[in-house]
Amino acid sequence: MPGAVEGPSWKQAEDIRDIYDFRDVLGTIKHPNIVALDDIYESGGHLYLIMQLVSGGELFDRIVEKGFYTERDASRLIFQVLDAVKYLHDLGIVHRDLKPENLLYYSLDEDSKIMISDFGLSKMEDPGCVLSTACGTPGYVAPEVLAQKPYSKAVDCWSIGVIAYILLCGYPPFYDENDAKLFEQILKAEYEFDSPYWDDISDSAKDFIRHLMEKDPEKRFTCEQALQHPWIAGDTALDKNIHQSVSEQIKKNFAKSKWKQAFNATAVVRHMRKLQLGTSQEGQGQTASHGELLMPAPGGPAAGCCCRDCCVEPGPELSPTLPPQL
């Protein structure tokens, strides 16, 4: 069946009722840049998610195939992503796994629109509970998630900043063969605009990225603020062809990349315990100790109820990301 994908088994599902509740929300989404969920079917102990069919391929593949690619092209792509994510945030939905592999082209047409897909880690913001599960994809995850702090929709804005960075140079802002050093970079928000790869990129683009890849989520741009930045809303994005440099770096750094692998709370807590990073990061407000997930905030649901964000199954171990071949 076109567009049908097998969902989690009954044992893997966090809460079947919550999945159906979330289905009801996703079913109401009407945005041109978001893959629609048409329905969910239950059969043989499995859930089948019937999604809108998109056939244009992944973002990186399309960029590599192009013969001409500019900052302005990247700006238009990011505009579509920001507009769609703002729509989700206005509905109270946090995607939590934004990355280039989840950005698909609707069709093979040259001017095809981009579509956000894969809501497997998405959550509805609940006034009675805090988002706390450490999930996402290594390299795109926000510092506050790795620091085991309660977080918000600002984590999506950080991920968009990482995507924008990659679209302009072809390699990730954080990279190391050693997981401990990778996490340290992200936790400190340490990244550079390396020469010569950023020499021809506008100061406006760099300013845009700095505002999204801001360590403090309270100071980080929201989608609405990012949409008003001159690099998106104005004419500061350059028209110089950067295809050769960007496509070469994409092919070197993301071929057979392990960046696609997602992780969850169990995996990241296990790694942070091993790497002894957890104790060096103080959480704000209510935080979790090693191997312990956050409980509902005071004044929330009664003790013992599930806050939907803490019922996770053990997932795959984090894989080291590929270092950029600069």
Side-chain angles (χ1 to χ4, degrees), residues 68 99 113 154 162 190 306 319:
F68 193 84
K99 56 185 176 181
K113 61 187 177 181
V162 175
E190 293 180 347
C306 177
S319 295

Side-chain angles (χ1 to χ4, degrees), residues 16-295:
I16 299 302
R17 182 191 63 191
D18 290 336
I19 289 177
Y20 277 94
D21 288 345
F22 195 50
R23 180 276 309 269
D24 292 338
V25 174
L26 289 181
T28 65
I29 291 178
K30 302 296 181 183
H31 192 282
N33 300 110
I34 298 176
V35 175
L37 173 63
D38 292 333
D39 211 338
I40 295 181
Y41 290 100
E42 172 196 338
S43 177
H46 288 75
L47 297 177
Y48 293 87
L49 311 182
I50 312 302
M51 309 296 297
Q52 177 186 13
L53 178 63
V54 294
S55 57
E58 292 187 3
L59 175 59
F60 281 169
D61 294 336
R62 184 71 70 94
I63 291 175
V64 170
E65 291 169 0
K66 284 177 175 286
F68 193 84
Y69 174 73
T70 69
E71 256 189 57
R72 192 173 300 277
D73 292 326
S75 173
R76 290 169 180 157
L77 286 169
I78 293 297
F79 167 79
Q80 295 177 69
V81 176
L82 283 169
D83 191 62
V85 175
K86 179 184 180 298
Y87 178 88
L88 293 174
H89 287 180
D90 288 345
L91 292 176
I93 298 173
V94 187
H95 188 282
R96 304 202 302 181
D97 195 25
L98 291 172
K99 56 185 176 181
E101 291 83 3
N102 286 340
L103 302 179
L104 309 174
Y105 279 95
Y106 179 72
S107 70
L108 294 174
D109 295 342
E110 180 67 24
D111 60 348
S112 172
K113 61 187 177 181
I114 202 75
M115 308 287 285
I116 295 178
S117 66
D118 194 348
F119 287 82
L121 295 178
S122 300
K123 284 291 180 181
M124 293 291 298
E125 285 192 319
D126 189 331
C129 297
V130 293
L131 293 176
S132 59
T133 300
C135 62
T137 299
Y140 300 99
V141 67
E144 60 266 30
V145 177
L146 286 180
Q148 303 180 62
K149 298 177 181 179
Y151 58 83
S152 67
K153 61 187 69 172
V155 300
D156 285 345
C157 297
W158 172 277
S159 299
I160 295 173
V162 175
I163 294 170
Y165 183 103
I166 296 171
L167 288 179
L168 292 173
C169 66
Y171 61 85
F174 307 103
Y175 47 88
D176 204 286
E177 294 181 354
N178 181 281
D179 281 346
K181 293 181 179 179
L182 171 67
F183 288 166
E184 286 174 357
Q185 290 176 15
I186 297 173
L187 285 164
K188 296 177 182 178
E190 293 180 347
Y191 60 93
E192 302 290 341
F193 296 113
D194 309 287
S195 179
Y197 306 99
W198 287 86
D199 292 352
D200 294 327
I201 303 302
S202 68
D203 290 338
S204 181
K206 297 171 186 176
D207 181 73
F208 174 79
I209 290 171
R210 289 190 189 99
H211 278 96
L212 286 177
M213 292 176 62
E214 159 64 48
K215 180 180 177 180
D216 185 348
E218 296 297 324
K219 298 179 181 179
R220 192 177 305 153
F221 263 14
T222 63
C223 287
E224 183 174 3
Q225 290 174 313
L227 284 166
Q228 297 171 2
H229 191 278
W231 193 70
I232 297 293
D235 59 356
T236 60
L238 303 180
D239 287 317
K240 182 175 182 178
N241 187 9
I242 57 175
H243 177 265
Q244 181 176 354
S245 175
V246 172
S247 62
E248 285 179 358
Q249 291 302 314
I250 287 177
K251 286 186 287 187
K252 289 178 180 178
N253 291 289
F254 294 93
K256 299 181 180 179
S257 173
K258 296 181 180 178
W259 277 54
K260 296 182 180 181
Q261 184 173 351
F263 64 92
N264 67 14
T266 304
V268 78
V269 169
R270 185 162 56 243
H271 270 261
M272 293 183 74
R273 178 192 300 166
K274 181 167 57 179
L275 301 174
Q276 297 182 338
L277 290 177
T279 56
S280 65
Q281 297 295 323
E282 292 293 334
Q284 294 179 346
Q286 187 181 15
T287 59
S289 62
H290 289 311
E292 181 181 27
L293 298 180
L294 294 176
M295 297 301 292

